[in-house]
């Protein structure tokens, strides 16, 4: 993040919009790739995310279904650096190390929703109770189906926390 000029006083730029320290924790694989972050640095520094990305369109739809806003939750990542290529594979040991050093300390006994297989595997490896849903950018499922699954998980986690 520092190399791109996104070294903000946050763990992730997403926390500009999804940084509720009391809200349920959503854990994704990673923020995005370095080329995309470089190309959209100013927008990400201002808003924390790119609304047009599939991940964010699904998240926004799920929040609408659940009657929530981005400010109601805390979104972080299993891996906290930017891969050099779009859809680049990050070595599993690097993901686990990042999760151990950073992500597990962000949770603070809050309800956790793991977005995708990698986040779910990290939670399981570190004994973090969680509910798993498909990654919001996963192929093979419609926006509506992924949004509904996340909305159901959010409803369950926010209802239990209330």
């Amino acid at each position: 993040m520092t190399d791109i000029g996104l070294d903000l006083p946050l763990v992730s730029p997403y926390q500009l919009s999804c940084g509720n320290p009391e809200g349920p924790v959503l854990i994704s694989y990673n923020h995005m790739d370095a080329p995309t972050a470089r190309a959209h640095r100013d927008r990400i520094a201002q808003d924390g995310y790119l609304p047009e990305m599939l991940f964010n369109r699904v998240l926004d739809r799920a929040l609408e279904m659940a009657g929530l806003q981005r400010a109601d939750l805390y979104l972080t990542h299993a891996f906290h650096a930017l891969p050099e290529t779009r859809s680049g594979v990050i070595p599993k040991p690097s993901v686990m190390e990042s999760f151990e050093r950073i992500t597990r300390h962000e949770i603070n006994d809050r309800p956790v929703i793991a977005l995708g297989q990698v986040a779910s595997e990290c939670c399981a490896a570190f004994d973090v109770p969680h509910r798993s849903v498909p990654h919001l950018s996963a192929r093979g499922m419609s926006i509506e189906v992924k949004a509904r699954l996340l909305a159901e998980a959010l409803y369950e986690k926010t209802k239990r926390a209330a």
Side-chain angles (χ1 to χ4, degrees):
M1 298 285 189
T2 302
D3 295 346
I4 294 172
L6 288 172
D7 190 20
L8 306 172
L10 308 161
V11 177
S12 167
Y14 264 107
Q15 291 154 7
L16 289 168
S17 64
C18 301
N20 187 330
E22 317 264 316
V25 179
L26 274 60
I27 302 174
S28 73
Y29 182 33
N30 66 315
H31 184 273
M32 67 177 54
D33 60 89
T36 302
R38 278 188 195 94
H40 302 282
R41 194 209 84 64
D42 291 342
R43 288 177 56 211
I44 295 165
Q46 179 180 324
D47 300 327
Y49 69 102
L50 300 172
E52 66 273 13
M53 290 179 67
L54 176 59
F55 181 97
N56 293 305
R57 293 189 339 246
V58 174
L59 177 58
D60 288 339
R61 180 68 181 121
L63 291 170
E64 180 183 326
M65 290 175 169
L68 298 171
Q69 298 178 14
R70 283 177 175 263
D72 293 325
L73 40 105
Y74 185 93
L75 196 149
T76 192
H77 317 289
F79 184 71
H80 290 277
L82 301 173
E84 283 303 318
T85 60
R86 184 171 155 79
S87 300
V89 176
I90 304 161
K92 188 171 183 172
S94 297
V95 176
M96 290 295 181
E97 180 182 1
S98 181
F99 193 96
E100 178 182 27
R101 288 185 177 197
I102 301 169
T103 311
R104 69 184 185 93
H105 300 289
E106 294 177 272
I107 297 167
N108 295 328
D109 296 321
R110 292 180 286 168
V112 173
I113 301 171
L115 306 175
Q117 182 177 345
V118 173
S120 185
E121 288 173 357
C122 288
C123 287
F126 291 96
D127 297 319
V128 173
H130 65 284
R131 173 151 176 200
S132 296
V133 299
H135 193 279
L136 305 186
S137 297
R139 296 180 182 136
M141 300 175 80
S142 71
I143 289 174
E144 287 298 309
V145 168
K146 291 183 287 190
R148 181 178 42 78
L149 292 170
L150 177 55
E152 290 169 359
L154 286 166
Y155 177 78
E156 174 189 301
K157 296 297 184 185
T158 55
K159 183 178 179 182
R160 187 176 298 161

